[in-house]
Amino acid sequence: MTIPLNITSYDPVDLKASLIEFMSSTPEFKDYEYREGSTLNTILDILVRNTHYISYQANMNATESFLDSSQLRSSIVSHAQKLSYFPKSRTATTVNVSIHVTPSNINNDSSIRVDKGSTFLHRAGSVLYSFTNTDDIVLTRTIDGTFINQSAELKQGTLLTRNYFYDRNIQSVELLYPNMDTSTLKVFVSNGTAGVRTEYTLVKDITDVKPGSYVFYLSENHNGNYEIEFGKGVLGNEPSDMAQITIEFVNTELHHANGLTELFAAKPINGYSNIQVDVVGEGFGGAERATLDSIKFLAPRLYAAQNRAVIESDYQSIILREFPFIKAVRVWGGEKNDPPYYGRVMIAAIPQEGYIISDSVKRVIETSISKFNVTGIRPMLVDSTFIGLDLYIKYLYDNKATTATNEQIRTTITNTVNVYNEQRLGLFDFWYNNSELIRSIYDIPAITSVEIDKVLYVEVPVTLNVKRKYEFNFSNKIIPNTLAIRGELVFDLVATSTKVRDDGLGKVWLDITKYDITNSLEVGTIDYETGKVELDLLILSSDSDRIVVEVKTEDDNVYTSNNQVVEIEGIFVSPLDAKV
């Protein structure tokens, strides 16, 4: 009886064995010996290789046909662009500055100009970061004779200008600059010999485009390069054949200068060298090109949002698209906030570096997101709140089941916790799962027992010499009599010792000892169920610019809400007393 071919595996070894088994079951080849080097064996090798190639091609064709399963960037970008999503390019760090020029001699100029493409520099050690302006900056003369512009915007990188000739047979212009910031791209078209130059703008809403509109379309081609296309006289004006296409854009630098607070002019302005450049806020916005995972995540969600912000996921998707330096976003209705803000949508964001976004950047994001609102609800950005977690891990291991030393076991446990922290914590909606971490530690060979004790802490900025209320929200049940303040804080100049504690009944006390007498002052409240702590303190001096309050939680897990993020900070590993 002929044995059917086994097609459940495309492994070359399995394929060849299946073919030999099949051919041995046929009368013509049942007595044949399929030895290496024989003609029939060579033919089988060719068939197996051909089958493997065909199966690989079929698998790739099927895989690359869908956004979720695609592996190649060209396929992913193609699917995303069908959903009207254009993947973000690299973005240059943006900085807002105030420029002051003091003339060295008396003049009658009412204003001076900083030509676009001028260079400003930031020095970090031996490294220089270059910034430029994409438009002319006009400085107006003040009454004291200085020239000032207090709202100039600079981009990190170099302003480049390139010229092309439009070929109607090709109908696109390929830009061979992978590091360009497409948000700074400007396109000008010069038709004929008259020298008239017309600026074309990027299409953002196709419903506003007419056959004569001066617009262009931007896409990413299969080579990973950006392409400019025009409307072919249907969805926008098409330049004449061999018209000159001039493009301007900022070519970004390799490393982003996010967070910078200082700049200086690289050369004189209008011949004046007494130049002061003050950074307003700090540098922000520098980010890498959209990753494959981010494209897969954002494309369908932005298509569902249809370029308007109504529900929470709309705000999240639009912010991640417009501000690629944002790593994570959490959105909730103002009515769910504590305290509630009716008529507001609350937004918390985590940048690629750190946890806090400056107030000036928050205003930029709020203004940008407001353009997508379709109701009277206003966005309000708030800081993310960090909950630190210190873990005190004790372990027991069987020294007969491993050659690892005690120190090596301790290092392995620490590395395991660090991996868990990097992969499972540090973003919104992520919470600490105690049993999951314990299981990961048990996967280490020879570990027989694990105990984890947890300490939570929250820190807020401290204000010296002013009595004020400090609020700490742990969002988890607190074990009574575990509250403490870290660091060296001075509440009384002549006290020999001070201590902040809770009494287990919901009140917080400050014990002040001086002249061998201890007095206790009620300074706040603690809600053991909700995890909220309020302190009313006058702090005279501190060893830090933050006040840090720690507690122990009643639950095994540590949960977060709204704008909170939990992350493991301290890892303290030690063996238990006994060892098998």
PDB file of all heavy atoms in Angstrom, residues 327 355 386-390 421-422 425-427 430 432 457 558 560 565-570:
ATOM      1  N   LYS A 327       7.135  57.769  25.420  1.00  0.00           N
ATOM      2  CA  LYS A 327       7.219  56.309  25.460  1.00  0.00           C
ATOM      3  C   LYS A 327       5.894  55.658  25.815  1.00  0.00           C
ATOM      4  O   LYS A 327       5.546  54.595  25.288  1.00  0.00           O
ATOM      5  CB  LYS A 327       8.299  55.893  26.468  1.00  0.00           C
ATOM      6  CG  LYS A 327       8.479  54.396  26.624  1.00  0.00           C
ATOM      7  CD  LYS A 327       9.724  54.069  27.420  1.00  0.00           C
ATOM      8  CE  LYS A 327       9.655  54.606  28.845  1.00  0.00           C
ATOM      9  NZ  LYS A 327      10.821  54.186  29.658  1.00  0.00           N
ATOM     10  N   TYR A 355      10.934  60.338  33.886  1.00  0.00           N
ATOM     11  CA  TYR A 355       9.494  60.207  34.099  1.00  0.00           C
ATOM     12  C   TYR A 355       8.754  61.532  33.995  1.00  0.00           C
ATOM     13  O   TYR A 355       7.538  61.548  33.835  1.00  0.00           O
ATOM     14  CB  TYR A 355       9.223  59.603  35.495  1.00  0.00           C
ATOM     15  CG  TYR A 355       9.499  58.124  35.586  1.00  0.00           C
ATOM     16  CD1 TYR A 355      10.711  57.654  36.090  1.00  0.00           C
ATOM     17  CD2 TYR A 355       8.566  57.194  35.153  1.00  0.00           C
ATOM     18  CE1 TYR A 355      10.982  56.299  36.160  1.00  0.00           C
ATOM     19  CE2 TYR A 355       8.820  55.840  35.219  1.00  0.00           C
ATOM     20  CZ  TYR A 355      10.027  55.387  35.728  1.00  0.00           C
ATOM     21  OH  TYR A 355      10.291  54.047  35.786  1.00  0.00           O
ATOM     22  N   PHE A 386       5.707  58.400  40.601  1.00  0.00           N
ATOM     23  CA  PHE A 386       6.566  57.230  40.734  1.00  0.00           C
ATOM     24  C   PHE A 386       6.397  56.592  42.112  1.00  0.00           C
ATOM     25  O   PHE A 386       6.470  57.275  43.133  1.00  0.00           O
ATOM     26  CB  PHE A 386       8.016  57.656  40.523  1.00  0.00           C
ATOM     27  CG  PHE A 386       9.030  56.589  40.797  1.00  0.00           C
ATOM     28  CD1 PHE A 386       9.262  55.583  39.896  1.00  0.00           C
ATOM     29  CD2 PHE A 386       9.757  56.601  41.974  1.00  0.00           C
ATOM     30  CE1 PHE A 386      10.204  54.609  40.146  1.00  0.00           C
ATOM     31  CE2 PHE A 386      10.701  55.641  42.249  1.00  0.00           C
ATOM     32  CZ  PHE A 386      10.929  54.640  41.325  1.00  0.00           C
ATOM     33  N   ILE A 387       6.141  55.290  42.135  1.00  0.00           N
ATOM     34  CA  ILE A 387       6.126  54.514  43.380  1.00  0.00           C
ATOM     35  C   ILE A 387       7.353  53.616  43.364  1.00  0.00           C
ATOM     36  O   ILE A 387       7.472  52.719  42.517  1.00  0.00           O
ATOM     37  CB  ILE A 387       4.852  53.664  43.522  1.00  0.00           C
ATOM     38  CG1 ILE A 387       3.607  54.550  43.553  1.00  0.00           C
ATOM     39  CG2 ILE A 387       4.921  52.804  44.785  1.00  0.00           C
ATOM     40  CD1 ILE A 387       2.308  53.774  43.653  1.00  0.00           C
ATOM     41  N   GLY A 388       8.282  53.893  44.256  1.00  0.00           N
ATOM     42  CA  GLY A 388       9.491  53.081  44.345  1.00  0.00           C
ATOM     43  C   GLY A 388       9.247  51.841  45.193  1.00  0.00           C
ATOM     44  O   GLY A 388       8.448  51.847  46.141  1.00  0.00           O
ATOM     45  N   LEU A 389       9.928  50.770  44.849  1.00  0.00           N
ATOM     46  CA  LEU A 389       9.737  49.494  45.545  1.00  0.00           C
ATOM     47  C   LEU A 389      11.107  48.923  45.898  1.00  0.00           C
ATOM     48  O   LEU A 389      11.939  48.667  45.024  1.00  0.00           O
ATOM     49  CB  LEU A 389       8.973  48.531  44.627  1.00  0.00           C
ATOM     50  CG  LEU A 389       8.623  47.156  45.170  1.00  0.00           C
ATOM     51  CD1 LEU A 389       7.750  47.267  46.417  1.00  0.00           C
ATOM     52  CD2 LEU A 389       7.907  46.339  44.104  1.00  0.00           C
ATOM     53  N   ASP A 390      11.337  48.758  47.193  1.00  0.00           N
ATOM     54  CA  ASP A 390      12.552  48.093  47.668  1.00  0.00           C
ATOM     55  C   ASP A 390      12.200  46.661  48.053  1.00  0.00           C
ATOM     56  O   ASP A 390      11.235  46.436  48.814  1.00  0.00           O
ATOM     57  CB  ASP A 390      13.138  48.823  48.879  1.00  0.00           C
ATOM     58  CG  ASP A 390      13.774  50.154  48.504  1.00  0.00           C
ATOM     59  OD1 ASP A 390      14.042  50.360  47.310  1.00  0.00           O
ATOM     60  OD2 ASP A 390      13.987  50.986  49.405  1.00  0.00           O
ATOM     61  N   ASN A 421      12.033  43.631  36.348  1.00  0.00           N
ATOM     62  CA  ASN A 421      11.776  45.063  36.466  1.00  0.00           C
ATOM     63  C   ASN A 421      11.752  45.743  35.094  1.00  0.00           C
ATOM     64  O   ASN A 421      10.890  46.587  34.811  1.00  0.00           O
ATOM     65  CB  ASN A 421      12.852  45.699  37.347  1.00  0.00           C
ATOM     66  CG  ASN A 421      12.526  47.126  37.740  1.00  0.00           C
ATOM     67  OD1 ASN A 421      11.396  47.466  38.027  1.00  0.00           O
ATOM     68  ND2 ASN A 421      13.542  47.975  37.734  1.00  0.00           N
ATOM     69  N   GLU A 422      12.681  45.375  34.236  1.00  0.00           N
ATOM     70  CA  GLU A 422      12.768  45.985  32.907  1.00  0.00           C
ATOM     71  C   GLU A 422      11.620  45.571  32.009  1.00  0.00           C
ATOM     72  O   GLU A 422      11.131  46.368  31.210  1.00  0.00           O
ATOM     73  CB  GLU A 422      14.104  45.610  32.249  1.00  0.00           C
ATOM     74  CG  GLU A 422      15.321  46.215  32.933  1.00  0.00           C
ATOM     75  CD  GLU A 422      16.619  45.693  32.360  1.00  0.00           C
ATOM     76  OE1 GLU A 422      16.552  44.902  31.388  1.00  0.00           O
ATOM     77  OE2 GLU A 422      17.691  46.059  32.877  1.00  0.00           O
ATOM     78  N   LEU A 425       7.663  46.156  34.555  1.00  0.00           N
ATOM     79  CA  LEU A 425       7.323  47.350  35.331  1.00  0.00           C
ATOM     80  C   LEU A 425       7.816  48.597  34.601  1.00  0.00           C
ATOM     81  O   LEU A 425       8.424  48.525  33.550  1.00  0.00           O
ATOM     82  CB  LEU A 425       7.948  47.279  36.732  1.00  0.00           C
ATOM     83  CG  LEU A 425       7.562  46.075  37.595  1.00  0.00           C
ATOM     84  CD1 LEU A 425       8.322  46.111  38.922  1.00  0.00           C
ATOM     85  CD2 LEU A 425       6.064  46.013  37.845  1.00  0.00           C
ATOM     86  N   GLY A 426       7.513  49.762  35.177  1.00  0.00           N
ATOM     87  CA  GLY A 426       8.048  51.006  34.642  1.00  0.00           C
ATOM     88  C   GLY A 426       7.161  51.713  33.650  1.00  0.00           C
ATOM     89  O   GLY A 426       7.540  52.764  33.132  1.00  0.00           O
ATOM     90  N   LEU A 427       5.961  51.172  33.367  1.00  0.00           N
ATOM     91  CA  LEU A 427       5.024  51.822  32.459  1.00  0.00           C
ATOM     92  C   LEU A 427       3.634  51.856  33.096  1.00  0.00           C
ATOM     93  O   LEU A 427       3.367  51.157  34.075  1.00  0.00           O
ATOM     94  CB  LEU A 427       4.961  51.082  31.114  1.00  0.00           C
ATOM     95  CG  LEU A 427       6.242  51.089  30.269  1.00  0.00           C
ATOM     96  CD1 LEU A 427       6.049  50.213  29.035  1.00  0.00           C
ATOM     97  CD2 LEU A 427       6.637  52.496  29.868  1.00  0.00           C
ATOM     98  N   PHE A 430       1.095  48.786  34.432  1.00  0.00           N
ATOM     99  CA  PHE A 430       1.905  47.650  34.853  1.00  0.00           C
ATOM    100  C   PHE A 430       1.925  47.622  36.380  1.00  0.00           C
ATOM    101  O   PHE A 430       2.067  48.665  37.018  1.00  0.00           O
ATOM    102  CB  PHE A 430       3.336  47.769  34.334  1.00  0.00           C
ATOM    103  CG  PHE A 430       3.497  47.435  32.878  1.00  0.00           C
ATOM    104  CD1 PHE A 430       2.410  47.434  32.022  1.00  0.00           C
ATOM    105  CD2 PHE A 430       4.741  47.126  32.361  1.00  0.00           C
ATOM    106  CE1 PHE A 430       2.547  47.137  30.682  1.00  0.00           C
ATOM    107  CE2 PHE A 430       4.899  46.833  31.012  1.00  0.00           C
ATOM    108  CZ  PHE A 430       3.798  46.834  30.178  1.00  0.00           C
ATOM    109  N   TYR A 432       3.159  45.320  40.078  1.00  0.00           N
ATOM    110  CA  TYR A 432       4.093  44.326  40.603  1.00  0.00           C
ATOM    111  C   TYR A 432       3.334  43.081  41.028  1.00  0.00           C
ATOM    112  O   TYR A 432       2.433  43.130  41.870  1.00  0.00           O
ATOM    113  CB  TYR A 432       4.861  44.900  41.798  1.00  0.00           C
ATOM    114  CG  TYR A 432       5.668  43.865  42.560  1.00  0.00           C
ATOM    115  CD1 TYR A 432       6.875  43.397  42.062  1.00  0.00           C
ATOM    116  CD2 TYR A 432       5.206  43.348  43.766  1.00  0.00           C
ATOM    117  CE1 TYR A 432       7.610  42.449  42.748  1.00  0.00           C
ATOM    118  CE2 TYR A 432       5.933  42.405  44.473  1.00  0.00           C
ATOM    119  CZ  TYR A 432       7.131  41.951  43.950  1.00  0.00           C
ATOM    120  OH  TYR A 432       7.851  41.009  44.632  1.00  0.00           O
ATOM    121  N   TYR A 457       7.879  53.409  48.631  1.00  0.00           N
ATOM    122  CA  TYR A 457       8.136  54.802  48.974  1.00  0.00           C
ATOM    123  C   TYR A 457       7.673  55.713  47.840  1.00  0.00           C
ATOM    124  O   TYR A 457       7.658  55.344  46.674  1.00  0.00           O
ATOM    125  CB  TYR A 457       9.611  55.033  49.303  1.00  0.00           C
ATOM    126  CG  TYR A 457      10.570  54.919  48.148  1.00  0.00           C
ATOM    127  CD1 TYR A 457      10.852  56.021  47.333  1.00  0.00           C
ATOM    128  CD2 TYR A 457      11.207  53.714  47.856  1.00  0.00           C
ATOM    129  CE1 TYR A 457      11.749  55.933  46.286  1.00  0.00           C
ATOM    130  CE2 TYR A 457      12.094  53.611  46.810  1.00  0.00           C
ATOM    131  CZ  TYR A 457      12.361  54.722  46.021  1.00  0.00           C
ATOM    132  OH  TYR A 457      13.240  54.616  44.973  1.00  0.00           O
ATOM    133  N   VAL A 558       1.604  44.913  44.227  1.00  0.00           N
ATOM    134  CA  VAL A 558       1.577  46.380  44.312  1.00  0.00           C
ATOM    135  C   VAL A 558       0.893  46.893  43.058  1.00  0.00           C
ATOM    136  O   VAL A 558       1.388  46.691  41.945  1.00  0.00           O
ATOM    137  CB  VAL A 558       2.994  46.974  44.428  1.00  0.00           C
ATOM    138  CG1 VAL A 558       2.928  48.496  44.472  1.00  0.00           C
ATOM    139  CG2 VAL A 558       3.690  46.429  45.674  1.00  0.00           C
ATOM    140  N   THR A 560      -1.256  49.964  40.711  1.00  0.00           N
ATOM    141  CA  THR A 560      -1.173  51.385  40.369  1.00  0.00           C
ATOM    142  C   THR A 560      -2.518  51.849  39.826  1.00  0.00           C
ATOM    143  O   THR A 560      -3.357  51.041  39.429  1.00  0.00           O
ATOM    144  CB  THR A 560      -0.094  51.645  39.309  1.00  0.00           C
ATOM    145  OG1 THR A 560      -0.430  50.921  38.107  1.00  0.00           O
ATOM    146  CG2 THR A 560       1.270  51.208  39.795  1.00  0.00           C
ATOM    147  N   VAL A 565       3.210  54.891  38.321  1.00  0.00           N
ATOM    148  CA  VAL A 565       4.138  53.916  37.756  1.00  0.00           C
ATOM    149  C   VAL A 565       4.927  53.309  38.906  1.00  0.00           C
ATOM    150  O   VAL A 565       5.435  54.034  39.766  1.00  0.00           O
ATOM    151  CB  VAL A 565       5.106  54.574  36.758  1.00  0.00           C
ATOM    152  CG1 VAL A 565       6.116  53.561  36.242  1.00  0.00           C
ATOM    153  CG2 VAL A 565       4.352  55.195  35.593  1.00  0.00           C
ATOM    154  N   VAL A 566       5.017  51.990  38.935  1.00  0.00           N
ATOM    155  CA  VAL A 566       5.795  51.323  39.981  1.00  0.00           C
ATOM    156  C   VAL A 566       7.043  50.726  39.362  1.00  0.00           C
ATOM    157  O   VAL A 566       7.023  50.214  38.232  1.00  0.00           O
ATOM    158  CB  VAL A 566       4.957  50.227  40.698  1.00  0.00           C
ATOM    159  CG1 VAL A 566       4.556  49.124  39.734  1.00  0.00           C
ATOM    160  CG2 VAL A 566       5.723  49.656  41.878  1.00  0.00           C
ATOM    161  N   GLU A 567       8.155  50.826  40.089  1.00  0.00           N
ATOM    162  CA  GLU A 567       9.419  50.289  39.597  1.00  0.00           C
ATOM    163  C   GLU A 567      10.276  49.859  40.783  1.00  0.00           C
ATOM    164  O   GLU A 567      10.284  50.522  41.831  1.00  0.00           O
ATOM    165  CB  GLU A 567      10.147  51.332  38.757  1.00  0.00           C
ATOM    166  CG  GLU A 567      11.295  50.761  37.932  1.00  0.00           C
ATOM    167  CD  GLU A 567      11.745  51.742  36.866  1.00  0.00           C
ATOM    168  OE1 GLU A 567      12.058  52.891  37.214  1.00  0.00           O
ATOM    169  OE2 GLU A 567      11.795  51.362  35.692  1.00  0.00           O
ATOM    170  N   ILE A 568      10.979  48.757  40.613  1.00  0.00           N
ATOM    171  CA  ILE A 568      11.869  48.261  41.663  1.00  0.00           C
ATOM    172  C   ILE A 568      13.143  49.096  41.661  1.00  0.00           C
ATOM    173  O   ILE A 568      13.802  49.248  40.630  1.00  0.00           O
ATOM    174  CB  ILE A 568      12.197  46.779  41.439  1.00  0.00           C
ATOM    175  CG1 ILE A 568      10.915  45.928  41.501  1.00  0.00           C
ATOM    176  CG2 ILE A 568      13.208  46.281  42.471  1.00  0.00           C
ATOM    177  CD1 ILE A 568      11.108  44.490  41.074  1.00  0.00           C
ATOM    178  N   GLU A 569      13.489  49.641  42.810  1.00  0.00           N
ATOM    179  CA  GLU A 569      14.678  50.480  42.931  1.00  0.00           C
ATOM    180  C   GLU A 569      15.776  49.802  43.741  1.00  0.00           C
ATOM    181  O   GLU A 569      16.936  49.807  43.358  1.00  0.00           O
ATOM    182  CB  GLU A 569      14.302  51.824  43.559  1.00  0.00           C
ATOM    183  CG  GLU A 569      13.580  52.757  42.622  1.00  0.00           C
ATOM    184  CD  GLU A 569      14.432  53.183  41.449  1.00  0.00           C
ATOM    185  OE1 GLU A 569      15.532  53.711  41.654  1.00  0.00           O
ATOM    186  OE2 GLU A 569      14.005  52.955  40.302  1.00  0.00           O
ATOM    187  N   GLY A 570      15.411  49.250  44.894  1.00  0.00           N
ATOM    188  CA  GLY A 570      16.408  48.609  45.751  1.00  0.00           C
ATOM    189  C   GLY A 570      16.219  47.102  45.773  1.00  0.00           C
ATOM    190  O   GLY A 570      15.098  46.609  45.936  1.00  0.00           O
TER     191      GLY A 570
END
